[in-house]
Every structure is written in C-alpha cells, then in structure tokens.
C-alpha cells in the first residue's frame, strides 16, 4: 500500500501542479487582455485631449460610464414615469423651460417666456438656430405637436391644466391659453414628459421614432438593448456651444448594489446612480471615489390608513407622532445625508414651511396624554407594512416600533416584496406603511395634490385622508398666481396636515451619486437626474 | 426507475435504442408540460401586478386597465392559458416581455450562452479539483492529508455563495486588479477571462459534495477484491488507478454532477447577481420581481428542457462508463 501511495502522491502532485499552471496561465492571458482594454479607454480619452492640443484643463472627450440598477425600456416620454426611463429620456428630449440644480425654473429651449397677469396665456419664444440632433430646425409647430400628443396620450404625468388652445404664432413663437388659471403649469412644463420632438415624428411611425428617438438633447442614442446597456453619443448639433464635453455616455446595467460599488472602486464605471445611505461615507472617503449630492424633492414618511380601526382616530395618529424622535431617527439612519422633516414639502420645493411650521415633536408625556384621549387609551396591537430589500427602511421600521412601544402601541413589522407591497397598499390593505412621496417638478402642488386630494386616484396617497378645508386650499393654491398669497395658502395647508397627521414626514433624504474623483462638473438635479453635458473626465 | 413502470422496463430491457429514445421523449414531454402549466398558474396566484410595476405609484385605474387590456391580462385565466399554449406552438415563444418589450425567446437566446459557459467552466473546474482532492484523500486514508481534505468540504459547504463571490471580488478585482469586478468581457478571450471568478465561485459550491462522493466510492473500490487481485498480478499502480479504480468509482459522482448541473441551469442566479453577469439567472430575478409573466414562463420552459436534456446525457454517459447500467436507469 505504501508503495502505491508514494507513486500516487507523485503523479497527483504533478497533476495539481498542472492545474495550478493552468490557473496562472489563465490569469496571465487575462491581465494582458485587461491592459489591452485599459489602453483602449486611454486612447479614446487621449484623442479628446489631443484635439484640445494638450492644454491641460479643461479636458474634453472620453466616455462616461454610468452604472444604473435598471435598464432603459422605452423612450416614449408621454407614457413613462420611472427613473430608469426618465433619466434617459431627458438626455434626448428637452422641454421649453427647465429647472436648475436649485430647483429654480429657467428658460431652456425657449429663450424667453411670459405669463399674462390673468394667468391664462403663456407665450414662449424659441432660441435662435435651435436644431434637432438630425440637423433640422426646431419650429413652434414641433412644440405644438409635442404638447398636443402629451394632451392626447395623457399618461402617468398627464398635463393637469385645462388647455384651451395651442398655437404656433410664427416659426419661433408658441402660445398656450388655458381655460382657467393653473399656476403649477409652468413648473409642470419642466418635466421630461414635456420635451420637444419633431412634428409628426419627423415623418416616421410612432414605433420607429421611439426606437431611434430624435430630440434636441445633448445626447443621441447610438446602441440600445432594452434589457441591458445603452450607449449615447454626443449630439453634434447641441445648442449649448461646445457641450457636451464627453464623446460618449454609457448607461451600464448593474443590478446589484455591492457590485456597483465595487465596479466604481475598481474604476470600471465613472459613476453609479444609486448609493445606499449606509455606503455613502465609505465611497466618499475612498482614495479614488467621492459622492455628488444635492437636496431632493423626496419626503420619507410614515403613512396611516385613515380607514383603519385604530388609525382613523386622530388622537392615535398624533400620539404616535409625539412618541417618535424624528431627529434621532434621521441621525441614526442617514449618516448626515438627510434633513429632519417637519413639513410635508421638502426645503427644495417653493412654499415649504419646514422652518416655521409647528410640528408634533418628540414628547413622551404628551404622547401618553394624547393616547389617553383616544378610543384606545390602553394601547393596541397593529401592523406596519414595509417593502423588503431596503435596509434603511427596515431599520426605520424598528425605530418606529420601539417608539410606539413606549406609549403602549405594539407594532408588528410586516415586510413584503415590492410587487406585493404595491398590491397591498393600492387595495388599502394596510394599517400603516413606510414609503416616500416625491414631487415631479419644483412645485408645491405636485406633492400636495397627490397626497391630499381624496378625489384623485391616489386618494391622498392611499391614506384616504379627507378634509374639505384641505381640498379647498389645494384648489385655491392651484389658481392663485405665485406670490405671498399663494404662500399663505400653502402654509395653512401644511399646518393642518401637521396637526391631523395623516402621515408623519420623517426626513428629506439627499440624492447621493457615487463618482470617480476624476469626474468634474457633474450637476445633480433635485429629481435625481444628472446633467452630463457639463461633465469632464480628468485624466 | 419506478417499480410500477414494469412496462417501461420490459421495453427498455428489449434493448432497442429507438424504443428507449421514444420512451425518454414521452417522459420528457410529460415533465415539460407539467412544469409549464404549473408555472403558468403559480405566478398568477402570487400577488403582484406587472402593470403596477411598470406604472409605479402613478398607476391610475384607467392606465392599469389599458395596460392590462393590451397585455391580455384582463381575459379569463383559462383563455389566457389557451392563448399562451397557442402562441407556444405557432411562434415557439412564450410571448413578448412585459418589462422590456422584446421577444422572450430572443432574450433567452441572448443570455443562455453566458450562463451555459459559466456552468461548463465551473463544472470542469469542479471535476478537476474534485478528482485531485478525492484521489489524494482516498489514497492517504486516515492520514493528515485525508483529514485536511475532509475538513475542506465541511468549511466550504458552510460558506454562502454570495459571500465567497464578494470576497473574491474584493481581493482579486478591487485590491489586486487581476480580474474585472463584474460584467462580461468582449470576444472569446474577454468572456472566458471575465467569467473566471464567477466560475471559481460556482465551483466552490460544487466541489465539496463531489469530493465526498468520489472519495467514498474510491475507498470502496480500492478495498475491493479485484483491486487486490490486480495488485497481486503486478499491474502498475498508475494503470490500476486510472483504468479501474477511477472508472468504477466515477458512476455515482457522475449522477451527482448531473443533479448539480441541472440545479445550476436556473440556479446561477445569486452568482450572476453578485458578479453583474447578464445571464439566465439575473434575467429570472428581474422577471420575477417585475412580474414579467412571459419571461418567467419562458425561463421555466428553457430550464425544464435543459434539465431533461442533461439527465439524458448523463444517462448515456453512464452507459459508456459502465455498460451494465444500460436500461437500468
């Protein structure tokens, strides 16, 4: 046996050596390949700097690769809403007016706009020499066609204003008249869904057009896999002279969060769209990585079903708000990338009253006193619905659970997968849930209409909260022109919400994007989109 | 296979390969039909609506209804099923993806090669490593090396695949920069290179069971009378080991490998997710979370067909290894 073994060992040591050699060989050929790939990207980056004749900054050219958790499935701007499509559509189609990183409305394809004093007539004058990416001139007729299609289609971001007429007064002037004043209109026009496309889709069918979309945006679709990556190239006819600085923009599908962070660290991507709060500081402090942030239009909230046995009682809702330390919750969960919420409207939205509102702040004694006034003075047991897969929300639920316990409310956390979660709250099949409300444009009405209108399809964000005074104020706010009077209306409305608590605003999370340190000039918009036309890649 | 299948056995015993093939195909068709039908109804019982996943929180009832209508989801379940079956036979497809709009067949055809390549790479790696380790362990029974090799599977079996994958990424890709962090490279060399770490990760989960099974079988054969006889006849050890021992102990391990590979056809989901590989597993994951019914059905069908094919191949290769098993499987 021993002889057998001795021989055995020899052959198998040889065998394992061969295996090892193979692995090493694979590694070597691999690294060769890798360096080839690297030189590939270097070359394309250098080409850019070469054209600028080696004058150091500003660098131009190169490819920006952006890791995103979901692929782009459609460019049909009037039928889409989710971020995966919205943030690709807004690279190709641009609206007449836009918002900047502060959320301020600025002229974009229009060089000027005027609103009549009665709030009924909107006049836009297009920029001179404005062209689509295929070189054809943009006219007011194109704008009429685009907005008309949006009105016809409706879609998830339907134009809420009552449009009486849409008219191209001359080649460059567009006049829109409304049946009744609707102040949020101008801000709703900044939405990606009000981008301008060529009249009659430039002569092709609708289906063909959205497969090869043509707009005025800084980028043109070059290669697109609806279930995978998307490559944009720069629009040679872009109206902002010299921009975009980069030659190509690649949206790379990376579904897994930690995979995205690792690709960022290794330099395989230049930026990643989603970065969990818990990972933000790790990326910020990394040697080659940093974060680009901005305040958002999002309010994280605890929602109550006001049809629920317990939460229909206003004292119960108030008691829970008083029992909750929002300050502590925000500090514990958001690592400095959020602001504590007092009002429903985030600070990045006009007419927010976050600094002046009287919110129900943490006060355990007051909470107990408030619960004593309710129909359930001895407490009760209820459930909190949470979508799984979001660690921040899971911790949020636990903090709320602990806070409720201090006043005798026993909360069971029910964590379900996203598709089931939606199914549940759309059917009002919940007592309380964690979710966030988001504005689509820099406009108070955007959040308020969705969260306070009991007649809207969202039924006050599925809380079924109904208050005639609130509904009246909401409609008044829509008709009052911008100014102090409108501010008063919204201040009053937000205060009622803070007193009656159909939902508890918890915090306003920042937008956090992970980027390589070599990236310059990235503009983070408050809706989470990025302006890539301003980006430069330093080499 | 099953005792009551005496008819099957009788026909198989007649040893006509054509008959065997016919029976195998009938069995395969039955399995595939059951899987497809079961999946069709199961995914519709699970809560969740593809329309609401597309429209998000802005799903007005009108928009949901319009989308349901265009997707045919407003029809009675039975009619949906007959349409599905019709489509399957006329177009050879389970329909257009709800989330991505493209044909399910194309989506799968695009992604299957990467996953299959990953499985082949991982299996080859696992077989090589298992052969070496099992032989070393069996020929050094109860010595230190044997103990070390036997501890190895116990440890690796306890390590979750995603964790092993993350460790490999952190060390070899982020720290050393030897391999790409994720995704699939271009060209044949690029693809093989980018799949190296994922394949090692998958192999890691396969090796322990293979080593155990092979080692136990080899020990049994090594101690059997015919090996003693061979040794006594002065046959060289190398010949005994490669020609007789390995061949006689490979059969159960081959069966095990078959089961493992069948599992991997749809089970590379976690590894694909961790390494950002756009294969069948990650497609299945997104399709399920988006309730993309046609794609889920398509993948189920694809997996059922693949598993049936693999079990046939394993059966055939076991005949080649040991003709005595012919018709007995």
């Amino acid at each position: 046996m021993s002889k057998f073994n001795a021989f055995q060992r020899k052959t198998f040591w040889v065998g394992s050596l061969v295996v090892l050699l193979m692995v090493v060989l694979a590694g070597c050929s691999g690294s060769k390949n890798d360096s080839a790939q690297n030189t590939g990207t270097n070359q394309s980056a250098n080409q850019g700097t070469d054209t600028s004749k080696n004058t150091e900054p500003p660098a131009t050219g190169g490819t920006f690769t952006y890791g995103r958790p979901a692929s782009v499935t459609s460019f049909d701007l009037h039928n889409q809403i989710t971020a995966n499509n919205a943030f690709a559509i807004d690279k190709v189609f641009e609206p007449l007016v836009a918002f900047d990183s502060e959320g301020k409305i600025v002229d974009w394809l229009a060089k000027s706009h005027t609103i009549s004093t009665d709030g009924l007539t909107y006049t836009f004058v297009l920029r001179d020499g404005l062209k689509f990416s295929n070189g054809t001139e943009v006219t007011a007729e194109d704008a009429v066609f685009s907005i008309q299609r949006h009105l016809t289609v409706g879609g998830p971001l339907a134009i809420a204003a009552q449009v009486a007429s849409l008219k191209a007064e001359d080649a460059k002037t567009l006049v829109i008249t409304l049946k009744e004043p609707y102040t949020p209109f101008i801000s709703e026009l900044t939405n990606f869904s009000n981008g301008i496309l060529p009249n009659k889709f430039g002569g092709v069918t609708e289906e063909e057009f959205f497969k090869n979309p043509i707009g005025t945006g800084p980028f043109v679709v070059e290669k697109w896999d609806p279930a995978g990556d998307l490559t944009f190239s720069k629009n040679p006819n872009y109206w902002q002279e010299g921009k975009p600085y980069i030659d190509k923009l690649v949206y790379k599908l990376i579904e897994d969060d930690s995979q995205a962070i690792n690709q960022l660290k290794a330099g395989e991507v230049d930026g990643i769209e989603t970065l969990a709060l818990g990972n933000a500081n790790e990326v910020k402090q990394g040697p080659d990585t940093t974060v680009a942030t901005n305040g958002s239009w999002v309010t994280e909230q605890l929602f109550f079903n006001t049809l629920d046995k317990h939460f229909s009682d206003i004292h119960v809702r108030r008691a829970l708000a008083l029992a909750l330390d929002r300050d502590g919750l925000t500090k514990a969960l958001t690592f400095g990338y959020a602001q504590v919420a007092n009002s429903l409207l985030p600070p990045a939205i006009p007419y927010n009253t976050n600094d002046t509102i009287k919110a129900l702040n943490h006060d355990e004694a007051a909470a107990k006193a408030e619960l004593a006034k309710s129909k359930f003075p001895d407490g009760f047991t209820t459930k909190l619905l949470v979508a799984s897969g979001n660690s921040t929300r899971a911790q949020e639920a636990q903090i709320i659970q602990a806070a409720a316990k201090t006043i005798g409310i026993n909360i069971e956390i029910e964590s379900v997968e996203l598709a089931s979660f939606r199914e549940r709250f759309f059917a009002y099949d919940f007592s309380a849930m964690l979710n966030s409300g988001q504005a689509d444009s820099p406009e108070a009405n955007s959040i308020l209409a969705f969260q306070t209108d009991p007649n809207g399809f969202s039924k006050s964000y599925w809380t079924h909260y109904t208050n005639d005074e609130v509904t009246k104020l909401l409609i008044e706010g829509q008709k009052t022109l911008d100014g102090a009077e409108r501010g008063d209306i919204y201040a009053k409305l937000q205060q009622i919400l803070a007193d009656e608590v159909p939902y508890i605003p918890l915090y306003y999370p920042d937008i956090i994007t992970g980027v390589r340190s070599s990236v310059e000039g990235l503009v983070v918009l408050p809706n989470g989109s990025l302006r890539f036309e301003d980006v430069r890649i330093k080499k | 296979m099953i005792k009551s299948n005496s008819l099957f056995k009788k026909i198989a015993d007649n040893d006509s390969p054509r008959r065997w093939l016919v029976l195998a195909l009938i069995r395969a068709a039955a399995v595939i039909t059951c899987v497809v039908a079961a999946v069709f109804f199961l995914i519709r019982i699970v809560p969740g609506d593809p329309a609401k996943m597309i429209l998000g929180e802005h799903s007005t009832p009108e928009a949901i209804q319009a989308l349901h209508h265009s997707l045919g989801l407003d029809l009675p379940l039975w009619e949906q099923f007959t349409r599905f079956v019709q489509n399957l036979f006329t177009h050879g497809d389970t329909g257009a993806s709800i989330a991505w709009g493209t044909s399910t067949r194309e989506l799968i055809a695009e992604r299957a090669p990467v996953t299959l390549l990953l499985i082949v790479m991982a299996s080859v790696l696992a077989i090589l490593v298992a052969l070496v380790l099992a032989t070393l362990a069996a020929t050094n029974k109860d010595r230190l090396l044997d103990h070390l090799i036997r501890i190895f599977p116990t440890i690796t079996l306890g390590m979750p695949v995603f964790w092993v994958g993350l460790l490999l990424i952190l060390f070899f890709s982020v720290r050393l920069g030897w391999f790409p962090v994720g995704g699939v490279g271009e060209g044949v060399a690029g693809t093989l290179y980018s799949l190296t770490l994922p394949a090692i990760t998958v192999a890691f989960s396969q090796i322990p069971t293979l080593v155990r099974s092979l080692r136990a079988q080899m020990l049994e054969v090594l101690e059997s009378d015919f090996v003693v006889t061979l040794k006594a006849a002065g046959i060289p050890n190398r010949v005994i080991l490669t020609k007789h021992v390995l061949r006689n102990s490979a059969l159960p391990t081959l069966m095990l490998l078959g089961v493992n590979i069948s599992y991997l056809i749809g089970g590379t989901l976690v590894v694909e997710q961790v390494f950002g590989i756009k294969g069948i597993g990650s497609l299945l994951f997104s399709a399920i979370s988006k309730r993309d019914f046609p794609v889920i059905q398509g993948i189920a069908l694809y997996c059922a067909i693949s598993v049936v094919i693999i079990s046939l191949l394993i059966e055939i290769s076991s005949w080649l290894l040991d003709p005595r098993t012919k018709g007995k499987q």
Side-chain angles (χ1 to χ4, degrees):
Chain A
M1 204 66 175
S2 69
K3 199 182 153 199
F4 189 105
N5 282 334
F7 183 79
Q8 256 317 275
R9 247 175 276 153
K10 214 186 276 168
T11 37
F12 277 92
W13 282 125
V14 171
S16 35
L17 242 168
V18 170
V19 173
L20 229 160
L21 250 168
M22 279 167 61
V23 172
V24 171
L25 266 173
C28 286
S29 61
S31 51
K32 242 184 244 159
N33 204 319
D34 186 36
S35 57
Q37 279 175 358
N38 278 344
T39 46
T41 50
N42 280 341
Q43 269 168 7
S44 61
N46 283 340
Q47 276 169 7
T49 37
D50 281 347
T51 50
S52 61
K53 283 174 189 164
N54 278 339
T55 44
E56 281 293 314
T60 56
T63 300
F64 189 102
T65 307
Y66 192 43
R68 309 182 76 218
S71 64
V72 180
T73 59
S74 169
F75 276 93
D76 188 342
L77 67 173
H78 301 135
N79 279 310
Q80 298 300 323
I81 167 102
T82 44
N84 59 321
N85 293 327
F87 300 166
I89 290 171
D90 68 3
K91 304 294 169 284
V92 174
F93 299 111
E94 295 179 317
L96 297 166
V97 280
F99 50 84
D100 63 12
S101 59
E102 308 284 309
K104 226 181 89 201
I105 295 172
V106 292
D107 286 316
W108 203 253
L109 293 191
K111 68 178 175 192
S112 69
H113 74 271
T114 49
I115 304 169
S116 65
T117 46
D118 60 2
L120 289 175
T121 310
Y122 289 68
T123 311
F124 300 89
V125 182
L126 293 174
R127 284 177 192 278
D128 302 315
L130 194 62
K131 282 178 182 161
F132 286 111
S133 57
N134 64 1
T136 55
E137 198 107 352
V138 181
T139 66
E141 285 297 345
D142 298 312
V144 169
F145 172 77
S146 308
I147 293 168
Q148 186 55 56
R149 180 173 189 262
H150 195 187
L151 286 168
T152 315
V153 169
L157 284 168
I159 295 174
Q162 298 289 313
V163 175
S165 76
L166 259 176
K167 212 168 68 198
E169 257 192 7
D170 58 51
K172 289 282 160 196
T173 315
L174 169 75
V175 179
I176 306 174
T177 48
L178 304 185
K179 286 179 194 152
E180 50 187 71
Y182 183 72
T183 310
F185 186 47
I186 190 73
S187 116
E188 284 176 9
L189 283 178
T190 64
N191 247 321
F192 72 89
S193 56
N194 289 312
I196 303 304
L197 46 141
N199 191 5
K200 294 179 183 139
F201 304 111
V204 297
T205 65
E206 206 173 295
E207 208 186 329
E208 272 173 64
F209 179 79
F210 287 115
K211 271 184 187 154
N212 284 299
I214 288 164
T216 61
F219 294 96
V220 184
V221 177
E222 186 181 296
K223 207 174 129 206
W224 172 32
D225 171 7
D229 301 347
L230 170 68
T231 305
F232 289 109
S233 54
K234 82 190 236 183
N235 173 4
N237 293 312
Y238 193 49
W239 57 273
Q240 292 191 55
E241 216 156 302
K243 290 184 186 177
Y245 302 122
I246 51 173
D247 292 332
K248 279 197 167 113
L249 172 64
V250 176
Y251 278 2
K252 184 176 178 185
L253 176 65
I254 310 174
E255 287 167 328
D256 186 70
D257 283 355
S258 51
Q259 170 68 220
I261 292 178
N262 284 327
Q263 290 207 17
L264 181 71
K265 282 185 187 163
E268 285 169 29
V269 294
D270 299 290
I272 53 176
E273 186 171 276
T274 46
L275 189 53
L277 287 163
N279 296 325
N281 281 328
E282 179 200 345
V283 170
K284 191 181 180 183
Q285 284 148 15
D288 310 309
T289 55
T290 184
V291 292
T293 66
N294 195 3
S296 72
W297 291 338
V298 176
T299 309
E300 178 76 11
Q301 297 162 69
L302 171 62
F303 292 87
F304 299 114
N305 182 352
T306 61
L307 300 176
D308 180 72
K309 181 176 150 207
H310 302 111
F311 293 118
S312 54
D313 188 330
I314 183 173
H315 298 295
V316 170
R317 303 197 302 260
R318 285 177 61 92
L320 203 53
L322 286 164
L324 192 61
D325 176 11
R326 303 194 310 279
D327 214 17
L329 180 143
T330 308
K331 276 196 187 118
L333 295 180
T334 61
F335 306 92
Y337 293 100
Q339 219 178 316
V340 183
N342 299 318
S343 64
L344 174 59
L345 296 179
I349 295 286
Y351 306 120
N352 81 84
T353 52
N354 196 39
D355 297 331
T356 52
I357 198 169
K358 283 192 223 79
L360 298 172
N361 291 322
H362 184 215
D363 183 343
E364 205 180 307
K368 282 178 179 157
E370 189 73 45
L371 193 65
K373 284 190 240 167
S374 76
K375 281 179 268 172
F376 312 94
D378 305 322
F380 55 90
T381 298
T382 186
K383 282 184 175 173
L384 174 59
L385 189 66
V386 189
S388 61
N390 181 332
S391 60
T392 307
R393 261 195 199 143
Q395 293 172 52
E396 226 168 276
Q398 286 167 9
I399 294 176
I400 291 165
Q401 186 183 40
K405 197 144 203 183
T406 61
I407 58 168
I409 299 175
N410 191 13
I411 291 180
E412 285 165 17
I413 299 169
E414 206 182 345
S415 178
V416 297
E417 169 246 10
L418 183 64
S420 316
F421 177 76
R422 271 194 193 149
E423 210 56 34
R424 290 277 302 273
F425 81 79
F426 275 26
Y428 307 99
D429 183 11
F430 71 101
S431 299
M433 69 162 168
L434 282 173
N435 211 341
S436 58
Q438 174 164 17
D440 300 309
S441 58
E443 166 58 55
N445 184 65
S446 180
I447 289 189
L448 292 175
F450 203 74
Q451 291 206 199
T452 64
D453 186 359
N455 303 316
F457 78 94
S458 59
K459 298 258 190 278
S460 308
Y461 212 120
W462 295 274
T463 61
H464 228 290
Y465 172 66
T466 313
N467 179 324
D468 293 343
E469 171 74 6
V470 167
T471 313
K472 211 185 89 201
L473 288 170
L474 177 73
I475 291 164
E476 254 178 66
Q478 291 170 350
K479 290 182 176 167
T480 310
L481 292 188
D482 277 318
E485 195 192 336
R486 198 165 182 233
D488 289 342
I489 292 169
Y490 286 135
K492 218 164 156 190
L493 204 166
Q494 288 173 81
Q495 188 59 54
I496 297 175
L497 295 178
D499 293 338
E500 301 204 336
V501 213
Y503 17 73
I504 306 176
L506 300 170
Y507 57 86
Y508 313 113
D510 285 346
I511 292 159
I512 319 171
T513 302
V515 286
R516 296 286 292 176
S517 312
S518 55
V519 172
E520 282 177 343
L522 194 65
V523 177
V524 183
L525 296 174
N527 66 346
S529 189
L530 300 181
R531 285 245 159 90
F532 287 108
E533 59 265 36
D534 302 303
V535 162
R536 295 174 192 273
I537 303 170
K538 203 165 53 184
K539 269 292 160 189
Chain B
M1 210 174 175
I2 307 164
K3 270 191 185 152
S4 60
N5 272 356
S6 56
L7 179 69
F8 276 42
K9 217 172 172 188
K10 220 173 171 181
I11 300 171
D13 280 342
N14 281 348
D15 203 25
S16 149
R18 199 177 299 161
R19 271 195 182 167
W20 172 83
L21 191 70
V22 170
L23 283 177
L25 286 179
I26 292 173
R27 235 164 36 196
V31 168
I32 292 168
T33 313
C34 289
V35 168
V36 168
V39 169
F40 182 90
F41 292 105
L42 272 178
I43 53 175
R44 282 168 172 78
I45 292 171
V46 174
D49 178 354
K52 285 172 197 152
M53 294 312 286
I54 291 174
L55 296 166
E57 269 141 38
H58 283 246
S59 336
T60 58
E62 301 81 54
I64 293 174
Q65 213 180 356
L67 203 54
H68 275 175
H69 185 71
S70 70
L71 297 171
L73 292 175
D74 52 348
L75 297 169
L77 204 56
W78 192 245
E79 207 175 325
Q80 285 185 44
F81 187 66
T82 40
R83 275 193 181 197
F84 165 73
V85 173
Q86 264 174 12
N87 194 36
L88 196 59
F89 281 102
T90 50
H91 296 97
D93 199 349
T94 53
S97 156
I98 294 174
W100 300 293
T102 40
S103 138
T104 298
R105 197 180 52 200
E106 275 168 36
L107 272 175
I108 293 176
E110 223 169 74
R111 285 160 175 252
V114 181
T115 302
L116 287 177
L117 186 62
L118 175 64
I119 295 171
V120 169
M121 281 173 77
S123 301
V124 169
L125 198 66
I127 291 169
L128 285 177
V129 175
L131 270 180
V132 173
L133 290 183
T135 315
L136 282 175
T139 52
N140 288 285
K141 193 183 169 226
D142 292 334
R143 291 196 207 158
L144 182 66
L145 192 60
D146 183 30
H147 286 301
L148 286 178
I149 291 172
R150 283 164 70 189
I151 291 171
F152 173 73
T154 321
I155 298 171
T156 49
L157 262 184
M159 300 200 290
V161 175
F162 72 89
W163 186 72
V164 173
L166 277 179
L167 281 190
L168 290 177
I169 291 174
L170 279 180
F171 189 72
F172 289 105
S173 305
V174 177
R175 177 84 56 89
L176 296 174
W178 287 4
F179 294 97
V181 174
V184 177
E186 296 203 349
V188 179
T191 309
L192 288 175
Y193 170 51
S194 62
L195 288 180
T196 310
L197 285 188
I200 292 174
T201 313
V202 175
F204 231 76
S205 63
Q206 304 298 307
I207 292 168
T209 48
L210 293 182
V211 170
R212 278 200 166 187
S213 146
L214 192 57
R215 175 187 170 275
Q217 286 302 316
M218 283 182 86
L219 280 180
E220 204 174 291
V221 178
L222 272 174
E223 281 156 17
S224 63
D225 292 344
F226 83 91
V227 173
V228 176
T229 313
L230 283 171
K231 262 190 254 174
I235 309 283
N237 285 323
R238 183 173 47 86
V239 178
I240 296 179
L241 202 72
T242 48
K243 265 203 155 173
H244 303 278
V245 178
L246 264 182
R247 183 167 179 166
N248 278 297
S249 30
L251 210 55
T253 311
L254 187 73
M255 296 295 163
L256 190 64
L257 186 72
V259 174
N260 278 352
I261 294 178
S262 309
Y263 163 75
L264 283 178
I265 292 289
T268 51
L269 192 146
V270 177
V271 174
E272 285 180 15
Q273 205 66 17
V274 168
F275 283 92
I277 298 168
K278 284 155 204 158
I280 290 291
S282 59
L283 183 68
L284 179 62
F285 183 80
S286 333
I288 291 176
S289 47
K290 292 182 174 120
R291 299 292 190 269
D292 195 338
F293 296 155
V295 176
I296 302 174
Q297 277 150 3
I299 294 176
L301 182 64
Y302 160 82
C303 288
I305 293 174
S306 309
V307 168
V308 165
I309 291 174
I310 287 166
S311 58
L312 287 181
L313 288 177
I314 294 286
E315 205 164 316
I316 291 168
S317 47
S318 72
W319 293 358
L320 298 177
L321 268 174
D322 185 352
R324 282 172 304 172
T325 60
K326 201 168 188 176
K328 285 186 185 164
Q329 291 300 314

